[in-house]
Amino acid sequence: QVRMVESGGGLVQAGGSLRLSCAASRSIFSSNAMAWYRQAPGKVRELVARIGVGGDTIYADSVKGRFTVSRDNAKNTVYLQMSSLKPEDTAVYYCNTFPSWNLYWGQGTQVTVSS
């Protein structure tokens, strides 16, 4: 079963930074736009940031100017650099293709931002 493997989450104080990583299989990574999604308790999963094969990016309004998505095609890895974190960023963060496929959801990585 194809899955993404997310890492890098943790507990951080408001205003802090974290860098998330997601490793994917080469066959999936090389030909797809990739994205980070998040799901907070009691809320639906939402798109955080997307990066195309060529490196073009889009961001949710709530994270613009604070988060940066990047990809390393040689390592089949996508990153999410998160800065100026807020308590409302607390969620489980997942990576997937864009658009997403149910088959590819991994376990995610928990990000908790304390006030």
Side-chain angles (χ1 to χ4, degrees), residues 5-12 17-21 36-42 80 82 85-95 106-114:
V5 180
E6 302 94 344
S7 62
L11 174 63
V12 63
S17 299
L18 281 174
R19 187 193 194 205
L20 307 183
S21 300
W36 285 95
Y37 304 80
R38 68 185 180 187
Q39 187 167 18
L80 185 67
M82 306 185 295
L85 282 161
K86 304 175 180 180
E88 51 264 45
D89 294 318
T90 295
V92 178
Y93 284 71
Y94 303 87
C95 70
Q107 292 189 337
T109 186
Q110 175 71 48
V111 172
T112 303
V113 184
S114 62

Side-chain angles (χ1 to χ4, degrees), residues 38 47-49 59-68 89 93:
R38 68 185 180 187
L47 176 68
V48 175
Y59 296 92
D61 287 343
S62 59
V63 307
K64 280 181 182 176
R66 300 188 298 121
F67 290 10
T68 302
D89 294 318
Y93 284 71

Side-chain angles (χ1 to χ4, degrees), residues 5-91:
V5 180
E6 302 94 344
S7 62
L11 174 63
V12 63
Q13 289 188 333
S17 299
L18 281 174
R19 187 193 194 205
L20 307 183
S21 300
C22 171
S25 64
R26 186 173 188 177
S27 61
I28 300 300
F29 189 89
S30 61
S31 59
N32 285 283
M34 299 296 295
W36 285 95
Y37 304 80
R38 68 185 180 187
Q39 187 167 18
K43 295 189 177 182
V44 298
R45 188 149 32 192
E46 63 175 355
L47 176 68
V48 175
R50 165 208 174 274
I51 184 165
V53 174
D56 53 302
T57 59
I58 60 171
Y59 296 92
D61 287 343
S62 59
V63 307
K64 280 181 182 176
R66 300 188 298 121
F67 290 10
T68 302
V69 61
S70 61
R71 62 191 292 161
D72 186 332
N73 292 332
K75 296 182 178 179
N76 302 321
T77 301
V78 60
Y79 303 98
L80 185 67
Q81 178 67 48
M82 306 185 295
S83 303
S84 301
L85 282 161
K86 304 175 180 180
E88 51 264 45
D89 294 318
T90 295

